[in-house]
Amino acid sequence: MDYPEIPGYTILGRLGEGGMATVYLARQDKFNRQVALKVMALHLAPDPSFGERFQREAHIVAQMSHRNFVPVFDVGQHGEFHYMSMEYLPNGNLKSLMAEGLALNDGLHIAREIASGLHYAAGKNFVHRDIKPENILFREDHSAVIADFGIARQMDSDTQMTVIGTVVGTAYYMSPEQARAETIDGRSDLYNLGVIIFEMLTGEVPYDADSALAVSIKHVSEDIPLLPAQLEAFQPFIDKALAKKPEDRFQTGEEMIEALDE
């Protein structure tokens, strides 16, 4: 199998592939350590805006000094290949973990870790915009790590890499303000996390439909679903986490953590 050649790295295999980049398992030769090497898709290279977006993601993650964010070790360009190397997280993602079966206490512990990371990010004026189970990865010690900042944005930045009025995110986890393509802040990320917590509790997302548009409309207009009777103690938490208006939700990650502790 042909792999891109990046000086200083020996690519060992493919970890995953998306529309914009492929992630490889690689050895960083200088330190003889395994890393996740993210390489932008070659067919995007002729358009400089994709390179700018890729570099922007690297710079965002590089500013995140928090145990629940994946750290970036290196970023660069070799020929037409834009790349960044990050910590290799070998224990899969939250989507797979939930499919296998997740104990309630373990799920709440993961939720606390993600809320802590989001609290930190909001304090840095960053909003992730795509918090979902696939973007929550795990270290060997099972600590949860937020990954994939491809559509993240600095809230006070003058750089607008997405068109105003376009919907950005994943429909099942999207906040109402995301669905309406409005300006969002860290409370939108906390809504995304609220959806994940609902899913961890029930095994289902709160809103489902035949199309992404229909799901988005439900986030905006449908009542918050009721939890099963055995989980009714969590209903006030879910009602606040999934409130339609940002001002009615948890305002910070710390506030969400305090509610989970209660």
Side-chain angles (χ1 to χ4, degrees):
M1 184 177 292
D2 291 332
Y3 295 132
E5 294 186 4
I6 307 294
Y9 296 91
T10 302
I11 294 180
L12 305 174
R14 189 190 305 266
L15 293 174
E17 187 170 359
M20 187 175 176
T22 299
V23 181
Y24 299 95
L25 175 62
R27 182 178 67 247
Q28 190 175 16
D29 298 328
K30 184 176 181 180
F31 298 106
N32 193 30
R33 65 178 171 187
Q34 287 189 335
V35 298
L37 187 66
K38 187 172 185 177
V39 182
M40 192 179 81
L42 199 56
H43 70 272
L44 300 177
D47 185 341
S49 67
F50 287 104
E52 291 172 17
R53 175 175 163 179
F54 190 87
Q55 296 288 327
R56 181 176 60 92
E57 177 187 356
H59 293 150
I60 286 176
V61 182
Q63 294 181 55
M64 298 295 179
S65 179
H66 190 281
R67 71 183 304 270
N68 297 119
F69 282 106
V70 58
V72 168
F73 299 141
D74 184 26
V75 61
Q77 181 178 358
H78 177 66
E80 293 183 294
F81 292 110
H82 291 269
Y83 68 89
M84 71 176 90
S85 72
M86 301 168 287
E87 180 183 1
Y88 171 49
L89 300 163
N91 273 20
N93 62 41
L94 181 56
K95 184 177 180 66
S96 299
L97 190 60
M98 287 195 294
E100 295 169 3
L102 184 62
L104 177 59
N105 283 342
D106 292 339
L108 296 179
H109 177 72
I110 292 167
R112 288 185 185 93
E113 290 191 301
I114 301 309
S116 176
L118 294 179
H119 181 83
Y120 174 85
K124 291 277 191 178
N125 285 324
F126 286 109
V127 58
H128 187 285
R129 301 202 289 181
D130 199 22
I131 296 296
K132 58 184 178 181
E134 294 93 325
N135 287 340
I136 308 302
L137 307 181
F138 296 95
R139 294 190 174 95
E140 286 183 316
D141 67 359
H142 305 293
S143 57
V145 181
I146 300 169
D148 198 349
F149 273 71
I151 61 172
R153 183 164 182 261
Q154 190 166 12
M155 287 181 282
D156 56 3
S157 172
D158 292 330
T159 302
Q160 182 69 45
M161 295 296 288
T162 52
V163 178
I164 294 174
T166 58
V167 177
V168 178
T170 301
Y172 288 119
Y173 304 92
M174 188 174 288
S175 69
E177 58 271 28
Q178 276 180 290
R180 291 192 294 261
E182 297 173 350
T183 301
I184 63 175
D185 58 26
R187 294 172 295 182
S188 178
D189 283 347
L190 291 176
Y191 182 98
N192 303 161
L193 178 55
V195 175
I196 292 174
I197 294 171
F198 184 98
E199 187 177 9
M200 288 194 293
L201 289 170
T202 67
E204 299 176 350
V205 290
Y207 305 110
D208 197 3
D210 293 334
S211 70
L213 177 59
V215 173
S216 300
I217 291 172
K218 287 187 174 185
H219 278 288
V220 172
S221 60
E222 280 207 357
D223 291 340
I224 298 169
L226 295 177
L227 294 169
Q230 67 271 25
L231 294 170
E232 64 181 9
F234 285 94
Q235 193 67 52
F237 175 90
I238 290 296
D239 288 345
K240 188 163 186 175
L242 301 185
K244 304 300 182 187
K245 297 179 180 179
E247 59 267 27
D248 293 333
R249 287 181 216 141
F250 298 107
Q251 298 300 291
T252 67
E254 280 191 351
E255 190 179 325
M256 178 177 274
I257 290 169
E258 289 172 2
L260 283 171
D261 289 341
E262 289 175 9

